[in-house]
Amino acid sequence: MIKKIKQAGAVISRLRPFIAPYKWGFIGAVVMTVLSVAAMTSAPRIEGMITTQLAKDAAQIAGKVPGAGVQFDVIVKILAVLAVIYIIKMASQVISMFLLTNSIQSAMHDMRNAVQDKIRRLPVKYFDTHSFGDTLSRVTNDIDSVSNGLQQSFTQVISGVLTLILVLVMVFTIQPVMAWLVVLIIPVSILISVAVVRKSQKHFKAQQDSLGELNGTITELYTGYNEILLFGRQQSSQERFKEINGRLQKHALKAQFVSSMMSPLISLSVYLCIGGVAVSGTVFVIQGMLTVGNLQAFIRYIWQCNEPLSQVAQLSAQIQAAFAGMKRIFEILDEPEEIPDPKPGTRILDVRGEVSFEHVAFGYGDKPVIKDLDIHIKSGQMVAIVGPTGAGKTTIINLLLRFYDTDSGRILIDGVDIKSMKREDLRSMFGMVLQDTWLFSGTIYENIRYGRLDARKDEVIDAAKTVNVHHFIRTLPKGYDMEIDEEGSNISQGEKQLLTIARAVLKDPKILILDEATSSVDTRLEKILQEAMHKLLAGRTSFVIAHRLSTIRNSDAIMVLDHGNIVERGDHAILIREKGIYYQLYTGGLELD
């Protein structure tokens, strides 16, 4: 328990820098909460004065006391005081909620910015070792959990604890003997809450597991819907869904039923306390030791205990989720960052595109991938990189763009070590087309212009014409102004690839990287693309990682990688004559990745 408390304290201390700039908002919310609770707990005592006054007036009227009657002036004054108290309570609650919401949302805004800024500084290695969904969840779901936890629990915990304290003070000032019955409610409620939470936790976990299984099954069934129809598996798929859905129903029923018992059980303890107070209080009233109004106030105070006890108990799950979210957020904030760029950094003003790898070695952890790479690529050369799976082809590109840094050796562009350059300046010299196309939700024009945001409309069209995609765009509804949906499903994969290539053309880079750039294009489009590539690559240094070896026959140089070393180099004709690894790859003896 002590260890958990220390861990919770450590997590809260990490949250302090985000809350500190808005501390006066939090302090103001606490002050307003205290004022609201004070007003709330003073109300029953004053309400009781009305009952006492009416009972007194009724007794005098029944006893035929001369001049007896209902003293409306006194009651009106009490009602006026009550009205002021109620207004103070309502106003302080509204102000407290505004201050708290503003402070919490501002702090969460800063936290999101901090996480996003951190992600921008993380090395590519982090994203290679962490799933996209997990990272996205930290930025969205985890911060939302923290926000909801603070929003819901901050004032409720303070209000609940303060209410219990003030209620105990008030009941002890009214009748100390009966007050001990109220004191007994608190430990009983805590025991009930702990028992219910322990019993329901396993059911909630089973419910979440079943829900995850159901979501995964739905995704799988709808993704493979055509195959299900093709093989006639509709009935078995339906039975599988029903089975998992039934499990979810069973676990959800148990979880919700057990957890819902908390409030009735706490209320039962409150009812028993009220019963005991009603009996003992009546005796005290008969004996003249307690007024009717104070008995009424006493019972109202018991009811005021019920709400915070139930709320604080039910908030335990939300608070735990908030702490879990905070831990995950601070995990990503503590991740090691990229090696800082040199300042001011070397810049190449007139890029020629001459690239050299000087005895470069690199490995992912303890696994060496590139052992002793030593090559020189002249300006304007088209260099193809081929090799079997795991040979290190993509790794060379990662090192060239400084997504990873070499373990030893140097990479030079126009004689300048790339480590002496800022990453932004280095990558601005490159254009890149990947096998996995990336288009964002927007128009075709906006997607192509992403390559150079200051490009004019005519320049965007010229880029599209270069890769022979202009005619296709004109046949689309709205042409260049057609919206591409979020998943890019309203155009084909090959057409998406052509648009990304047009984007690279618009950037007009000095060095091009084509990583499986034509793998998603059919044979007809590939022929069109090859004609455009011939014009695009002219005068530029280019690295081509090709799945189809037929696309690199005209390369100036072909490098064959195997286990991190260049085992063959030369043009297509030379390597075919040597009948080595390239020959086996080309004739189908070996497989490319």
Side-chain angles (χ1 to χ4, degrees):
M1 178 61 72
I2 295 176
K3 184 179 180 181
K4 288 184 177 180
I5 293 174
K6 288 182 178 179
Q7 289 176 344
V11 172
I12 292 173
S13 67
R14 293 292 306 275
L15 191 63
R16 193 175 298 132
F18 296 99
I19 292 177
Y22 312 102
K23 62 182 179 181
W24 292 112
F26 283 97
I27 292 172
V30 172
V31 171
M32 289 296 104
T33 300
V34 171
L35 184 59
S36 173
V37 172
M40 182 182 69
T41 52
S42 64
R45 193 76 177 263
I46 297 174
E47 290 167 358
M49 293 179 182
I50 297 175
T51 304
T52 299
Q53 183 63 45
L54 289 173
K56 181 180 176 182
D57 292 342
Q60 290 179 347
I61 293 171
K64 298 182 178 181
V65 176
V70 178
Q71 300 185 43
F72 288 104
D73 57 333
V74 175
I75 293 173
V76 169
K77 289 179 181 178
I78 297 174
L79 287 173
V81 173
L82 272 178
V84 172
I85 289 174
Y86 292 145
I87 291 171
I88 291 173
K89 177 180 179 295
M90 181 192 70
S92 58
Q93 277 184 325
V94 171
I95 295 171
S96 173
M97 188 55 64
F98 172 78
L99 293 174
L100 182 66
T101 302
N102 182 62
S103 300
I104 289 176
Q105 294 309 316
S106 297
M108 294 304 102
H109 171 269
D110 293 349
M111 182 176 284
R112 285 190 183 91
N113 284 341
V115 174
Q116 179 60 34
D117 190 53
K118 178 70 177 188
I119 289 174
R120 186 177 59 83
R121 299 194 304 271
L122 288 174
V124 173
K125 178 182 179 182
Y126 176 85
F127 300 100
D128 286 344
T129 54
H130 292 76
S131 71
F132 169 75
D134 179 71
T135 304
L136 179 63
S137 181
R138 293 174 195 259
V139 180
T140 54
N141 296 339
D142 290 331
I143 292 181
D144 282 345
S145 294
V146 176
S147 175
N148 293 335
L150 288 174
Q151 190 77 47
Q152 298 298 324
S153 65
F154 187 81
T155 53
Q156 287 191 17
V157 169
I158 293 174
S159 174
V161 173
L162 191 60
T163 297
L164 290 175
I165 293 172
L166 290 180
V167 163
L168 289 177
V169 170
M170 297 299 283
V171 295
F172 269 102
T173 59
I174 294 174
Q175 174 44 250
V177 176
M178 292 193 305
W180 286 107
L181 289 173
V182 182
V183 173
L184 188 62
I185 295 176
I186 298 174
V188 170
S189 299
I190 292 174
L191 290 174
I192 291 172
S193 301
V194 171
V196 171
V197 168
R198 284 181 177 176
K199 187 71 175 176
S200 63
Q201 273 181 342
K202 62 179 181 180
H203 297 304
F204 273 113
K205 184 180 183 306
Q207 176 187 344
Q208 291 303 111
D209 290 341
S210 298
L211 181 60
E213 187 180 1
L214 184 68
N215 289 334
T217 301
I218 292 172
T219 302
E220 181 182 321
L221 293 179
Y222 281 105
T223 303
Y225 188 69
N226 290 341
E227 285 73 12
I228 292 172
L229 293 179
L230 177 65
F231 291 101
R233 296 291 185 267
Q234 298 96 315
Q235 187 63 35
S236 59
S237 299
Q238 184 72 8
E239 293 301 323
R240 179 183 171 192
F241 176 85
K242 287 182 178 179
E243 178 192 350
I244 300 172
N245 193 28
R247 272 205 306 274
L248 174 60
Q249 180 193 22
K250 182 180 69 175
H251 293 310
L253 174 63
K254 291 181 178 179
Q256 297 301 325
F257 176 76
V258 173
S259 64
S260 65
M261 293 300 295
M262 182 184 299
S263 183
L265 288 173
I266 291 177
S267 296
L268 176 62
S269 66
V270 172
Y271 293 146
L272 292 175
C273 181
I274 290 174
V277 166
V279 173
S280 58
T282 302
V283 173
F284 286 129
V285 170
I286 293 172
Q287 294 176 348
M289 299 173 61
L290 186 69
T291 65
V292 175
N294 279 345
L295 176 59
Q296 173 193 321
F298 203 104
I299 294 174
R300 287 270 282 113
Y301 282 128
I302 298 175
W303 274 115
Q304 284 190 354
C305 283
N306 182 45
E307 185 177 352
L309 286 171
S310 299
Q311 283 181 344
V312 172
Q314 291 171 356
L315 282 172
S316 62
Q318 200 165 35
I319 293 172
Q320 289 179 48
F323 271 97
M326 279 188 275
K327 287 179 182 178
R328 283 169 50 80
I329 291 165
F330 295 133
E331 280 176 6
I332 195 171
L333 290 177
D334 291 337
E335 284 287 334
E337 300 178 3
E338 277 189 325
I339 300 171
D341 284 328
K343 294 183 179 180
T346 306
R347 297 193 67 179
I348 303 174
L349 299 178
D350 185 17
V351 182
R352 300 189 308 276
E354 189 175 316
V355 181
S356 297
F357 288 75
E358 296 183 349
H359 304 289
V360 169
F362 173 78
Y364 297 101
D366 297 330
K367 179 186 176 183
V369 179
I370 303 295
K371 296 175 182 176
D372 185 20
L373 186 63
D374 194 71
I375 56 175
H376 179 75
I377 299 156
K378 296 179 181 179
S379 175
Q381 278 192 320
M382 175 182 174
V383 178
I385 305 172
V386 300
T389 302
K393 302 185 295 296
T394 302
T395 300
I396 289 178
I397 304 303
N398 287 338
L399 294 175
L400 186 59
L401 293 170
R402 281 199 73 192
F403 291 152
Y404 289 87
D405 282 322
T406 60
D407 293 336
S408 62
R410 299 191 306 166
I411 301 175
L412 309 175
I413 296 180
D414 293 345
V416 177
D417 190 333
I418 63 173
K419 287 185 179 179
S420 68
M421 303 172 63
K422 289 184 178 180
R423 290 178 177 85
E424 183 179 356
D425 294 335
L426 168 67
R427 293 164 188 168
S428 67
M429 298 186 293
F430 289 85
M432 193 169 184
V433 181
L434 301 175
Q435 177 181 4
D436 297 324
T437 57
W438 178 75
L439 297 176
F440 55 87
S441 181
T443 65
I444 288 179
Y445 170 74
E446 291 168 338
N447 271 274
I448 296 177
R449 194 170 67 97
Y450 192 79
R452 183 158 55 87
L453 295 178
D454 60 351
R456 302 186 307 271
K457 181 71 175 281
D458 61 302
E459 291 176 317
V460 172
I461 294 174
D462 287 341
K465 288 180 178 178
T466 301
V467 296
N468 298 318
V469 74
H470 174 69
H471 175 72
F472 156 71
I473 295 174
R474 290 187 61 188
T475 63
L476 295 172
K478 298 184 180 180
Y480 284 87
D481 294 324
M482 191 190 90
E483 291 277 341
I484 297 176
D485 60 30
E486 292 182 2
E487 298 178 357
S489 58
N490 52 347
I491 59 175
S492 72
Q493 184 66 27
E495 289 156 354
K496 285 194 287 186
Q497 189 69 283
L498 288 170
L499 292 179
T500 61
I501 295 170
R503 179 192 294 165
V505 171
L506 183 64
K507 184 178 181 182
D508 192 24
K510 298 298 181 182
I511 306 173
L512 274 170
I513 296 172
L514 308 175
D515 190 349
E516 310 284 6
T518 62
S519 62
S520 298
V521 180
D522 60 32
T523 305
R524 181 185 63 84
L525 286 177
E526 182 184 359
K527 185 177 180 181
I528 296 173
L529 185 59
Q530 289 303 320
E531 296 173 1
M533 284 294 182
H534 181 71
K535 293 182 288 185
L536 174 63
L537 298 175
R540 306 175 197 270
T541 305
S542 57
F543 295 83
V544 180
I545 299 176
H547 187 82
R548 300 175 181 174
L549 295 185
S550 59
T551 63
I552 61 169
R553 293 184 59 175
N554 297 323
S555 300
D556 296 310
I558 299 173
M559 296 187 300
V560 182
L561 286 179
D562 191 26
H563 296 96
N565 293 316
I566 296 177
V567 293
E568 296 175 14
R569 69 175 74 189
D571 61 24
H572 174 75
I574 293 173
L575 295 179
I576 288 294
R577 285 199 299 271
E578 290 180 356
K579 294 191 175 182
I581 293 178
Y582 179 79
Y583 175 82
Q584 295 180 58
L585 290 170
Y586 190 79
T587 57
L590 292 176
E591 291 186 0
L592 289 169
D593 54 358

